[in-house]
Amino acid sequence: MRLSTVVHAAGTSAAVLDGTTWRALPAADLSALLAAVPLQRVAGLAGDALADAVPVLPLPAPGKVICCGLNYADHIRETGRELPTYPTLFPKYADTLTGPEADLVLPAGLQVDWEAELAVVVGTPLRRADRVTALAGIAGYTVANDISVRDWQYRTLEWFQGKAWDATTPLGPVVVTPDELDPAAGLQVMCRVNGEQTQHDTTKTLVFDAADLLAYISTFTVLRPGDLVLTGTPGGVGVAREPKRFLADGDVVETEISGIGTLRNTVRFTG
Amino acid sequence: MRLSTVVHAAGTSAAVLDGTTWRALPAADLSALLAAVPLQRVAGLAGDALADAVPVLPLPAPGKVICCGLNYADHIRETGRELPTYPTLFPKYADTLTGPEADLVLPAGLQVDWEAELAVVVGTPLRRADRVTALAGIAGYTVANDISVRDWQYRTLEWFQGKAWDATTPLGPVVVTPDELDPAAGLQVMCRVNGEQTQHDTTKTLVFDAADLLAYISTFTVLRPGDLVLTGTPGGVGVAREPKRFLADGDVVETEISGIGTLRNTVRFTG
């Protein structure tokens, strides 16, 4: 299945894609649906076709959005580090997320960088789960760009303040269920800025895969349906270039993962 | 006013202390009350006296719990660092919090440490607020202990995974409104382990005060009524001792701030 939240002629709804038609699911959005209905029951709930449906932020209300840094072997090497024993984790908020075509509005003068990432959507409550349980608890996969304000990220030891600017992490456009997509088989993760490819790697090279991350996180905190785990970004970010490159007002960032879809977001700096 | 969430003979309720009597406020808990009612209106809403009322976790559902590290001059010096230009920030979750008398249940074998802290409760939405607006937006102050799993905290560069273990940060027992308490005048922040004082400092020595922190955080993310900001811990934590000292099964941690109250929590290690 390909699931999302869509805006349509009569409102907003959770929805499932049926060919090229979005069909209504019985919830206001996909966060509410996953909180209310086991994933196995979703297929049987598809209702009316929705006119003029356009996918928006699929998961507007995750309780937890947890990101893994330094998880692609080549990105780790470009930052000058060794392959890690443990995942480096930091959080964002539901407030940090924005839609697949939304503008990225930020104050002028910040060092804004791109980070294309595979995002994992939790489908069942996970608490001290092993890898097998964690894998079975995945609702699906979507695309994210962990847009980072590098000057704030590196103001202190903790990255959080550069990673949690409201409405700057685009997500979507759809959540693809695991029966249709296997990151272990290798999904192409790509970022383009104004059409120029800046990142391209495969999820085959992830140091910690989706099940590893969910199991590890669930050791210290419960994960619930609709929560998100971002799996880290491959090499090619702007801050690691020589000279460093950051996003400018009007830049168009495209984030694509094969088998899922593409985010297309324009940077808008305010005065 | 002294506000909290209490368990009483007939259920759970937000409540305000009237002498030694807890009076009902019209919400299931203080998080729900602050989300629904401006603070200025709360005093007029005090209802019936509640029989057998005992304060529990006052704020069970903050959307954001943001902590400042390295904020007391002497604690910064004991970690060997310079006074900071910017606050070091990291988050916890509502899930991380627990009640003022709750046991701290953790798997055996972890390096568990204490961090007594003044916590600030947000009273109004704050977005890119200046210091004056931030100060006026404070609902009150309470006591927290930012219990930290040091071995996980230092597994990677990011402290988050050592700071967000479910139900390990006690909070309460009451929220005291700013008309009755001024941290700038100097509140005594104390931690005792099995009766032995391990931390004692005054909020006069905070590098970044409550208004500084709320204004700074509101630059990148909105704060809402009921959100929490923990202001950092003074010197005397176990990991900075020589030899290092961590909490053992059965240890009783008391966290006290003058003018607010005392948390009393027992460490319980599981197999």
Side-chain angles (χ1 to χ4, degrees):
Chain A
M1 289 183 291
R2 299 171 81 78
L3 305 167
S4 197
T5 300
V6 300
V7 172
H8 57 91
T12 304
S13 178
V16 57
L17 201 56
D18 174 10
T20 58
T21 301
W22 286 99
R23 293 195 176 277
L25 292 169
D29 58 58
L30 191 56
S31 291
L33 187 83
L34 291 176
V37 178
L39 195 64
Q40 307 85 285
R41 286 192 43 221
V42 168
L45 298 173
D48 291 344
L50 297 168
D52 305 324
V54 175
V56 291
L57 173 58
L59 293 156
K64 291 173 187 156
V65 182
I66 301 180
C67 309
C68 181
L70 310 171
N71 199 20
Y72 283 85
D74 62 341
H75 178 50
I76 294 167
R77 288 189 197 106
E78 82 180 354
T79 64
R81 295 190 174 87
E82 302 287 310
L83 288 190
T85 307
Y86 302 109
T88 298
L89 301 175
F90 60 90
K92 293 174 178 270
Y93 293 114
D95 284 332
T96 321
L97 305 178
T98 194
E101 305 268 341
D103 285 352
L104 307 176
V105 182
L106 282 157
L110 299 174
Q111 296 180 347
V112 183
D113 201 354
W114 56 84
E115 293 200 356
E117 308 207 1
L118 176 72
V120 186
V121 183
V122 175
T124 54
L126 295 173
R127 182 78 175 116
R128 305 207 170 140
D130 59 17
R131 255 188 65 85
V132 172
T133 308
L135 191 63
I138 294 172
Y141 302 96
T142 188
V143 184
N145 197 311
D146 171 18
I147 294 287
S148 301
V149 177
R150 299 295 186 198
D151 39 349
W152 282 59
Q153 179 180 349
Y154 298 129
R155 279 185 169 184
T156 73
L157 289 173
E158 300 305 295
W159 300 342
F160 168 66
Q161 64 187 266
K163 294 287 196 173
W165 287 67
D166 283 356
T168 59
T169 295
L171 188 89
V174 296
V175 174
V176 183
T177 52
D179 55 309
E180 299 189 6
L181 199 75
D182 180 12
L187 308 176
Q188 303 302 306
V189 177
M190 291 160 278
C191 186
R192 293 181 291 276
V193 177
N194 303 328
E196 175 197 342
Q197 185 168 281
T198 54
Q199 297 184 281
H200 185 190
D201 207 335
T202 159
T203 52
K204 269 187 187 172
T205 79
L206 284 172
V207 179
F208 304 102
D209 71 8
D212 289 334
L213 292 173
L214 268 55
Y216 187 86
I217 292 165
S218 81
T219 308
F220 61 90
T221 191
V222 63
L223 293 169
R224 299 191 179 87
D227 285 350
L228 283 161
V229 174
L230 275 59
T231 59
T233 202
V237 298
V239 74
R241 294 175 178 231
E242 195 54 60
K244 296 179 199 303
R245 176 177 169 189
F246 299 110
L247 292 167
D249 186 56
D251 278 355
V252 177
V253 180
E254 289 174 295
T255 317
E256 181 176 354
I257 298 181
S258 58
I260 307 177
T262 303
L263 312 171
R264 190 171 292 99
N265 305 88
T266 302
V267 175
R268 299 287 181 206
F269 286 139
T270 57
Chain B
M1 286 183 293
R2 300 172 80 80
L3 305 167
S4 196
T5 300
V6 301
V7 173
H8 57 90
T12 303
S13 178
V16 56
L17 201 57
D18 174 9
T20 58
T21 302
W22 285 99
R23 293 195 175 277
L25 291 169
D29 57 60
L30 191 56
S31 291
L33 185 84
L34 291 176
V37 177
L39 194 64
Q40 307 88 285
R41 286 192 44 223
V42 168
L45 298 172
D48 292 343
L50 297 169
D52 304 324
V54 175
V56 292
L57 173 59
L59 293 157
K64 292 173 187 156
V65 182
I66 301 180
C67 310
C68 182
L70 311 172
N71 199 21
Y72 282 86
D74 63 340
H75 179 51
I76 294 168
R77 289 189 197 106
E78 83 180 356
T79 65
R81 294 189 174 88
E82 301 287 310
L83 288 190
T85 308
Y86 303 109
T88 298
L89 301 175
F90 60 89
K92 293 173 178 270
Y93 292 114
D95 284 332
T96 321
L97 304 178
T98 193
E101 305 268 340
D103 284 353
L104 307 177
V105 182
L106 282 156
L110 299 174
Q111 296 179 346
V112 182
D113 201 353
W114 56 85
E115 294 201 355
E117 308 208 0
L118 175 73
V120 185
V121 182
V122 176
T124 56
L126 295 172
R127 181 78 174 115
R128 304 205 172 143
D130 58 20
R131 255 188 65 86
V132 172
T133 308
L135 191 63
I138 294 172
Y141 302 96
T142 188
V143 184
N145 197 312
D146 170 19
I147 294 288
S148 301
V149 178
R150 299 295 186 198
D151 40 348
W152 282 60
Q153 179 180 348
Y154 299 129
R155 278 185 168 184
T156 73
L157 290 173
E158 300 304 297
W159 300 343
F160 168 67
Q161 64 188 266
K163 294 287 195 172
W165 287 67
D166 284 355
T168 59
T169 294
L171 188 88
V174 295
V175 175
V176 183
T177 51
D179 54 311
E180 299 188 6
L181 199 75
D182 180 12
L187 308 176
Q188 303 302 308
V189 177
M190 291 160 279
C191 186
R192 293 181 291 276
V193 177
N194 302 330
E196 176 198 343
Q197 185 168 280
T198 55
Q199 298 185 282
H200 185 189
D201 206 336
T202 158
T203 52
K204 270 188 186 171
T205 78
L206 284 171
V207 179
F208 304 102
D209 71 8
D212 289 335
L213 292 173
L214 268 55
Y216 187 87
I217 292 164
S218 81
T219 308
F220 62 90
T221 191
V222 64
L223 293 169
R224 299 190 180 88
D227 285 351
L228 282 162
V229 174
L230 275 59
T231 57
T233 203
V237 299
V239 74
R241 293 174 179 234
E242 192 56 59
K244 296 179 199 302
R245 177 176 168 190
F246 300 111
L247 292 167
D249 187 55
D251 278 355
V252 177
V253 180
E254 289 174 294
T255 316
E256 180 177 354
I257 298 181
S258 57
I260 306 176
T262 303
L263 311 171
R264 191 171 291 100
N265 305 89
T266 302
V267 175
R268 299 286 181 208
F269 286 138
T270 58

